[in-house]
Amino acid sequence: MELLKLIKNRISTEWKKTFNDNVDILNGITRDQNQKIDVVDKRIDNLVLHSGGDSPNEVVDARVNNKGETFDTLESRLLAAENRHDEDVDELDVMQDDQQNQLEQLNNSIGKLMGTYGAVIDYYVSAVSGNDINGDGTETNPFATIQMAINQIPLISSSKITIWVDDGVYLENILLTNVSCTSFTLRCKQSVDSIDLSKNDLPVKVRSFGFVSCNGYFQLYGIQAVDLVNANLTDGIKCAFYCKLGGYLALNRVKISENTKGISNYNAIYANGNSKINIYQSYFSNQNVLVHASLMSDVLFLGTNSGSSNSVGIISDSGAMVTDASSTTAGSTTRYQVSLGIIMSQGQVFS
């Protein structure tokens, strides 16, 4: 409230003017003081005691943050800091969720590549009840083709993998490539250990099976090769079973008896590129070439094998080595063909 001026003329005009001038001065001083009080009040609103300085009453301007940004009030500065903190927390939550999703995707990818350490993986195939679209490879919901089951195998696996195949004819040129595993077996579901292979066919028949650029142990059990005129072509050769560029293939109780003598580029079993094949308890007859080893590969043809009437028993070339412990090849039109390779049989070395 300002001071009141004299407005009546009961005193002299000169004295009234002097008095009113003094009132104006006093009112101006009052207004200045009120403004200063408002500024001080506002500044006090934005001051906090800062202990630890030269005086316990030392104050700092709380409107200024650590980046030198000045806010109208302490409240607005604190509110801005809290809002920024909340935004940072929300961003971190989103990043954490994204990282968790990425980790899950990575784990899934590793699972597909590696398989589960030390686990047993089984896939089932049935030409009658299987389905490659809706099947998942379980015994109750099998695949329809062997190749579909092969496609499920992790590229790198420490698991023991077995594909169980129902009786039937699977006219497939099956191919397994770039797989590294501890153990892989493709076999018929039933045991065929007691079957006389010279008189009986095996329950599971395929056209051909190739292993290319693989590492580890691979086995075929109870499989018979048929429709060989349409067998897969590799290195210009039609093959029933072949292993190329690495890996160890065991052929256990397999059979090839369809006459292939009229197919000039046909080899029943073919190995090359530092791969290894072990053949035992199997039967071969009427083959154009029974075994062909090439390019530093290694083949063992055991004495438990049987068969007859093959045109060429064994070909070994380009640094390959074949050990023939069976009399099966003796009845071949040409038992051995050697070209810069080695064939060993009953203490003799053919080179």
Side-chain angles (χ1 to χ4, degrees):
M1 179 177 178
E2 295 184 346
L3 297 174
L4 296 178
K5 296 182 179 180
L6 291 174
I7 58 176
K8 294 181 180 180
N9 294 321
R10 287 181 292 181
I11 58 176
S12 68
T13 301
E14 182 179 354
W15 188 90
K16 182 176 71 173
K17 182 179 181 304
T18 301
F19 180 86
N20 287 340
D21 288 343
N22 290 332
V23 171
D24 288 337
I25 294 172
L26 288 174
N27 283 334
I29 294 172
T30 301
R31 284 193 297 271
D32 290 343
Q33 292 302 316
N34 287 337
Q35 290 175 355
K36 290 180 180 180
I37 290 172
D38 289 340
V39 171
V40 171
D41 286 343
K42 185 176 181 180
R43 188 162 181 80
I44 289 174
D45 287 340
N46 292 288
L47 294 176
V48 293
L49 290 177
H50 181 69
S51 62
D54 295 335
S55 168
N57 294 323
E58 180 185 8
V59 295
V60 293
D61 193 335
R63 294 177 300 160
V64 182
N65 64 14
N66 62 333
K67 296 180 180 180
E69 299 171 335
T70 302
F71 297 83
D72 291 337
T73 65
L74 174 59
E75 179 185 14
S76 62
R77 176 204 160 188
L78 295 177
L79 183 60
E82 291 174 355
N83 290 337
R84 187 172 301 172
H85 175 267
D86 291 341
E87 291 174 359
D88 291 342
V89 170
D90 291 340
E91 185 177 351
L92 287 173
D93 287 341
V94 172
M95 291 178 60
Q96 185 176 14
D97 290 340
D98 290 342
Q99 290 176 351
Q100 182 65 33
N101 291 334
Q102 291 173 6
L103 180 60
E104 291 177 1
Q105 292 176 359
L106 180 61
N107 287 335
N108 290 335
S109 298
I110 292 174
K112 291 179 180 179
L113 288 173
M114 295 292 295
T116 304
Y117 179 78
V120 175
I121 299 176
D122 292 300
Y123 295 112
Y124 293 84
V125 178
S126 175
V128 176
S129 61
N131 190 307
D132 282 350
I133 298 176
N134 299 318
D136 58 10
T138 59
E139 189 168 13
T140 56
N141 193 19
F143 295 120
T145 63
I146 296 173
Q147 188 65 57
M148 180 58 73
I150 291 291
N151 294 344
Q152 312 308 310
I153 297 175
L155 295 179
I156 304 173
S157 177
S158 59
S159 304
K160 181 179 180 180
I161 303 169
T162 304
I163 297 178
W164 302 84
V165 185
D166 273 347
D167 296 0
V169 179
Y170 302 82
L171 296 181
E172 306 176 51
N173 289 314
I174 306 159
L175 188 61
L176 183 65
T177 60
N178 299 307
V179 168
S180 178
C181 69
T182 301
S183 174
F184 165 86
T185 299
L186 177 86
R187 56 161 297 160
C188 55
K189 291 182 71 173
Q190 61 176 292
S191 173
V192 295
D193 289 347
S194 60
I195 292 180
D196 184 347
L197 298 182
S198 65
K199 299 177 181 179
N200 301 283
D201 285 344
L202 289 167
V204 174
K205 299 175 179 63
V206 302
R207 182 178 288 146
S208 69
F209 204 128
F211 298 82
V212 179
S213 300
C214 295
N215 291 300
Y217 174 79
F218 305 90
Q219 179 183 187
L220 301 181
Y221 170 82
I223 307 297
Q224 182 169 339
V226 297
D227 190 30
L228 299 174
V229 69
N230 294 310
N232 200 29
L233 190 69
T234 183
D235 296 338
I237 301 169
K238 286 184 178 291
C239 307
F241 304 120
Y242 59 96
C243 187
K244 296 173 50 178
L245 305 175
Y248 177 97
L249 173 61
L251 298 177
N252 179 13
R253 297 197 71 78
V254 303
K255 179 176 181 177
I256 311 175
S257 60
E258 187 176 298
N259 196 320
T260 61
K261 292 180 180 181
I263 308 174
S264 60
N265 64 336
Y266 173 83
N267 295 177
I269 300 167
Y270 176 64
N272 85 357
N274 203 33
S275 56
K276 301 179 185 297
I277 300 181
N278 183 15
I279 309 156
Y280 53 100
Q281 299 186 99
S282 298
Y283 182 85
F284 309 95
S285 64
N286 297 308
Q287 300 304 294
N288 179 53
V289 175
L290 176 51
V291 175
H292 183 179
S294 181
L295 296 172
M296 305 299 291
S297 59
D298 191 351
V299 176
L300 175 59
F301 194 76
L302 288 175
T304 54
N305 297 309
S306 60
S308 62
S309 303
N310 299 297
S311 294
V312 178
I314 295 173
I315 297 175
S316 181
D317 63 43
S318 304
M321 184 174 70
V322 180
T323 301
D324 180 16
S326 172
S327 60
T328 302
T329 57
S332 303
T333 303
T334 301
R335 186 172 190 180
Y336 300 137
Q337 287 184 2
V338 183
S339 178
L340 297 178
I342 295 176
I343 298 175
M344 296 188 297
S345 178
Q346 298 179 348
Q348 289 184 294
V349 178
F350 301 88
S351 61

